Amino acid sequence: MISNKKAVRIAGVLFLLQMTAAVISHEVILSPLLGGSAFLADVAAQATEVKIAILFDLVCGASVFGIAVLLFPILKQHSERIALWYVGLRLGELFAWVAAGTVLLILLSTGQQFVQAGMPESSHFEVLGKALRSGRNSTVDLNLIVYCLSASTFYYLLFRSKLIPRFLSVWGLLAVLLLFTEVMLIIFTKTFRMWMMMPMGLNELVLGIWLIVKGFNTTATTARSTIQ
């Protein structure tokens, strides 16, 4: 059985792992591929990179769910109800990542068929490809919404339990609010502001390192809270 101290450190590693995987998948691989007008041909030409992105998506999903499972025995000491909600929401993120990867796999197959057909103009391949790209974006947006819910639940419980310094919890809660605002802007206005996402990413980077180096407050860990 994994000790609480070791579980927290592994969770810290998973925070850093899922962040790294997400950056590689979305910023390094997928954004350049899916952003152009010839994205179907680009996807087909870089099938290996697309499959790597799918793999990193699955790593993200497995990592976030693993964090919740590892920390559940500790978090439930302070509120079992909130801890269960956190596990459930992280499981929702895992499903969203799987769905995003599935859509991307179908998009890859469509791109390959498009190329094999001689890349005909104004074909049903392009219509289907645009629909799949839109579906992939919608899945990512849904994933971000679920993430905002899980992160707000997590940081609220950390704030109440004092398992980490409160400035980190407050930072996390404010960053979640900023991120949620950005997600709504993306959905309803199609505008994107990277700076609104950066505080959340930086917070999770600091949190991951903190959990690896410092862990949870042992005094708070050993004392049950009365949160309900």
Side-chain angles (χ1 to χ4, degrees):
M1 183 175 180
I2 301 177
S3 66
N4 285 349
K5 187 175 182 180
K6 187 174 182 180
V8 172
R9 284 180 174 172
I10 295 174
V13 172
L14 291 179
F15 268 110
L16 302 182
L17 178 61
Q18 63 91 14
M19 285 185 60
T20 303
V23 169
I24 294 174
S25 174
H26 294 274
E27 301 304 323
V28 177
I29 299 176
L30 294 180
S31 288
L33 283 179
L34 300 181
S37 58
F39 68 94
L40 273 179
D42 293 338
V43 165
Q46 301 189 50
T48 300
E49 288 82 352
V50 172
K51 292 175 182 177
I52 291 173
I54 294 172
L55 177 61
F56 277 121
D57 281 354
L58 296 178
V59 168
C60 285
S63 296
V64 296
F65 183 59
I67 290 169
V69 171
L70 284 168
L71 298 183
F72 177 74
I74 301 172
L75 297 179
K76 74 175 182 178
Q77 296 177 29
H78 302 275
S79 175
E80 186 169 358
R81 177 168 56 88
I82 296 177
L84 283 171
W85 268 106
Y86 180 57
V87 173
L89 289 168
R90 285 298 204 182
L91 180 60
E93 285 186 65
L94 172 57
F95 288 153
W97 281 116
V98 172
T102 301
V103 174
L104 192 57
L105 198 59
I106 298 172
L107 180 59
L108 172 60
S109 177
T110 302
Q112 291 172 332
Q113 293 179 44
F114 172 68
V115 172
Q116 290 172 5
M119 296 187 290
E121 295 183 4
S122 303
S123 66
H124 69 280
F125 291 110
E126 292 182 312
V127 175
L128 178 58
K130 289 178 180 178
L132 289 170
R133 181 173 64 176
S134 178
R136 159 79 185 183
N137 292 338
S138 296
T139 304
V140 172
D141 292 340
L142 175 61
N143 193 356
L144 286 172
I145 292 173
V146 178
Y147 167 78
C148 288
L149 293 173
S150 68
S152 59
T153 300
F154 180 59
Y155 282 106
Y156 169 75
L157 186 52
L158 291 182
F159 178 81
R160 293 293 299 269
S161 63
K162 301 179 183 179
L163 287 168
I164 61 173
R166 277 190 161 175
F167 82 89
L168 274 177
S169 302
V170 173
W171 177 5
L173 289 169
L174 293 175
V176 168
L177 179 60
L178 198 61
L179 176 60
F180 182 77
T181 302
E182 169 61 11
V183 174
M184 292 299 102
L185 289 173
I186 291 174
I187 293 174
F188 293 107
T189 69
K190 306 301 180 183
T191 58
F192 176 75
R193 299 171 178 82
M194 176 61 76
W195 68 267
M196 295 182 72
M197 293 186 169
M198 290 179 65
M200 191 74 257
L202 184 58
N203 176 267
E204 289 210 336
L205 174 63
V206 173
L207 177 63
I209 295 173
W210 182 276
L211 294 181
I212 294 170
V213 177
K214 294 288 188 178
F216 279 154
N217 180 352
T218 54
T219 302
T221 301
T222 54
R224 286 183 177 272
S225 175
T226 58
I227 300 174
Q228 296 297 332

